[in-house]
């Protein structure tokens, strides 16, 4: 009776498998590993430097692994070249990014605009993730329309603050400059009330919207060198920080190769992206450890599937088990019992 392991009644010991059997087994395992080792992404992806006409520089990135991990997956570039900011309250078109005075200008299509006039649409509160390095700029002003006077303190701010200095921040200014001079459409409101209030947090903004019909955000854009040279425009200014690290400065240094600051998408550790390879310091530091095209390149990952890992592990376990049972003559491996 033939079998993979044959027992003889005369000696009561195991006869080793033939060399052909081992060769067949090895071939099957190697073929299985080859079939299951599938690259997740086979083509290298380099960091795009623009989305539409908006430049994308450090610390931002629209490709995973580019920029700073602090802003990972916050910016999205659509197929039509529209840049959007992702927040807990939704996705908002980005109008502009300034890196000299670090901020983004975003628009919220749910907010009131001049075309709405006295016809108010359902709106929702804009919010930011407090765990990120983004923050609402103090250069924003918020206008609220048709608020309930039973629930909201609506009075001219100077008069109210003189009478109640300790409650000055809780009032909605009905005599604000912006309510009297709405940007681009000063006479858009005919029957609706308006007041200006700066919410301290997203929750206070939600509270206001419970008692007001709608709201809009106005930011002050600098048009000159003086702080008074500003014009009011609709939109939301979002400030951001630019993390400055020695690694990134060395990576960007043109004398050291002029790389692009990025990170490993799996560990979020710093990487300097240098064209055909990534390094952990700077491009011309040839002694540093690097990631070749088979590793992580600007968000491109190659990997082994779970099935492949299981197959390789099973093969190693089987060989160890067979090797432990294989007969050895006087401690010497012969051509009859060796595995390779």
């Amino acid at each position: 009776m033939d079998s993979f392991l044959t027992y003889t009644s005369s000696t009561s010991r195991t006869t080793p498998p033939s060399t052909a059997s081992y060769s067949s087994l090895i071939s099957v395992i190697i073929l299985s590993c080859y079939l299951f080792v599938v690259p997740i992404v086979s083509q290298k992806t380099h960091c795009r430097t623009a989305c539409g006409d908006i430049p994308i520089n450090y610390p931002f990135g629209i490709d995973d692994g580019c920029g700073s991990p602090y802003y990972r997956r916050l910016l999205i570039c659509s197929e039509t070249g529209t840049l959007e900011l992702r927040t807990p309250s939704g996705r908002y078109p980005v109008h502009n990014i300034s890196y000299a005075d670090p901020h983004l200008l975003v628009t919220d299509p749910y907010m009131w605009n001049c075309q709405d006039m006295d016809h108010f649409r359902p709106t929702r509160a804009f919010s930011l993730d407090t765990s990120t390095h983004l923050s609402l700029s103090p250069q924003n002003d918020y206008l609220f329309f048709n608020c309930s006077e039973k629930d909201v303190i609506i009075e001219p701010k100077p008069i109210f603050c003189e009478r109640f200095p300790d409650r000055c921040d809780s009032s909605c200014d009905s005599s604000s400059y912006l309510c009297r001079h709405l940007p681009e459409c000063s006479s858009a409101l005919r029957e609706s009330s308006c007041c200006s209030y700066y919410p301290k947090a997203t929750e206070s903004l939600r509270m206001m919207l419970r008692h007001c019909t709608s709201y809009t955000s106005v930011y002050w854009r600098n048009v000159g060198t003086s702080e008074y040279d500003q014009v009011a425009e609709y939109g939301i200014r979002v400030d951001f920080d630019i993390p400055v690290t020695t690694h990134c400065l060395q990576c960007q240094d043109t004398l050291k190769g002029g790389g692009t600051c990025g990170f490993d998408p799996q560990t979020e550790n710093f990487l300097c992206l240098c064209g055909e390879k990534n390094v952990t310091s700077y491009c011309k530091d040839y002694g540093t450890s690097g990631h070749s095209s088979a590793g992580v390149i600007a968000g491109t990952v190659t990997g082994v599937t779970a099935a492949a890992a299981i197959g390789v592990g099973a093969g190693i376990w089987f060989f160890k088990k067979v090797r432990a049972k294989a007969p050895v003559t006087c401690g010497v491996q012969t051509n009859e019992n060796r595995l390779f």
Side-chain angles (χ1 to χ4, degrees):
M1 178 178 180
D2 293 333
S3 63
F4 186 68
L5 293 179
T6 305
Y7 292 89
T8 59
S9 56
S10 59
T11 58
S12 299
R13 70 177 183 180
T14 305
T15 301
S18 65
T19 303
S21 300
Y22 279 123
S23 299
S24 300
L25 178 62
I26 294 168
S27 300
V28 170
I29 293 178
I30 292 176
L31 179 60
S32 300
C33 294
Y34 176 78
L35 291 175
F36 283 112
V37 177
V38 181
I40 298 175
V41 179
S42 59
Q43 184 177 2
K44 294 181 295 183
T45 303
H46 296 281
C47 299
R48 287 174 285 177
T49 57
C51 179
D53 58 354
I54 300 178
I56 305 297
N57 300 327
Y58 183 83
F60 295 118
I62 52 179
D63 300 297
D64 199 16
C66 301
S68 169
Y70 290 137
Y71 302 102
R72 186 179 187 183
R73 299 192 181 98
L74 290 183
L75 291 183
I76 305 165
C77 187
S78 68
E79 295 181 356
T80 59
T82 301
L83 186 65
E84 293 180 318
L85 173 67
R86 178 186 298 170
T87 79
S89 56
R91 289 166 56 165
Y92 303 91
V94 178
H95 179 68
N96 186 32
I97 300 179
S98 172
Y99 297 93
D101 178 18
H103 69 272
L104 305 93
L105 296 178
V106 303
T107 57
D108 183 355
Y110 291 94
M111 287 184 177
W112 180 88
N113 58 55
C114 290
Q115 289 71 31
D116 291 340
M117 302 185 70
D118 288 306
H119 305 286
F120 299 103
R121 298 166 295 145
T123 187
R124 61 187 181 189
F126 176 85
S127 66
L128 291 174
D129 187 350
T130 56
S131 65
T132 65
H133 287 230
L134 300 176
S135 61
L136 286 174
S137 172
Q139 292 181 234
N140 294 326
D141 275 316
Y142 299 88
L143 303 180
F144 293 85
F145 308 107
N146 283 353
C147 298
S148 170
E149 295 186 6
K150 296 181 180 179
D151 304 294
V152 179
I153 302 174
I154 304 174
E155 286 193 32
K157 203 173 188 67
I159 299 175
F160 182 82
C161 292
E162 287 179 5
R163 288 187 294 143
F164 307 101
D166 57 329
R167 301 175 61 191
C168 183
D169 290 341
S170 63
S171 68
C172 194
D173 187 4
S174 59
S175 64
S176 69
Y177 172 83
L178 290 175
C179 279
R180 290 181 288 111
H181 303 85
L182 288 170
E184 303 174 12
C185 52
S186 57
S187 60
L189 297 179
R190 298 177 182 178
E191 302 175 356
S192 305
S193 63
C194 171
C195 63
S196 177
Y197 172 74
Y198 187 85
K200 297 297 183 181
T202 301
E203 187 56 36
S204 61
L205 177 56
R206 292 194 186 101
M207 288 290 291
M208 288 291 290
L209 286 178
R210 291 178 187 173
H211 309 295
C212 302
T213 305
S214 186
Y215 86 115
T216 192
S217 174
V218 177
Y219 71 93
W220 292 90
R221 181 171 64 88
N222 295 322
V223 293
T225 57
S226 171
E227 61 178 338
Y228 301 104
D229 294 334
Q230 298 178 330
V231 294
E233 295 182 358
Y234 294 105
I236 307 170
R237 172 173 165 143
V238 178
D239 294 339
F240 64 88
D241 300 325
I242 300 181
V244 179
T245 64
T246 303
H247 286 305
C248 185
L249 292 176
Q250 290 180 338
C251 173
Q252 293 176 327
D253 190 345
T254 55
L255 298 178
K256 295 185 177 182
T260 302
C261 298
F263 59 92
D264 187 325
Q266 294 179 327
T267 64
E268 294 195 349
N269 292 331
F270 173 81
L271 284 180
C272 184
L273 312 181
C274 307
E276 294 301 318
K277 67 173 182 177
N278 301 329
V279 296
T280 55
S281 58
Y282 50 89
C283 297
K284 289 188 177 180
D285 185 7
Y286 301 109
T288 188
S289 60
H291 299 255
S292 65
S293 58
V296 179
I297 296 186
T300 301
V301 182
T302 57
V304 178
T305 64
I310 295 174
V312 173
I316 295 174
W317 172 84
F318 178 79
F319 279 127
K320 286 183 177 181
K321 184 175 182 180
V322 174
R323 183 184 291 271
K325 291 184 177 181
V328 178
T329 305
C330 300
V332 177
Q333 293 279 5
T334 67
N335 289 330
E336 293 182 355
N337 61 24
R338 68 175 59 205
L339 294 178
F340 300 101

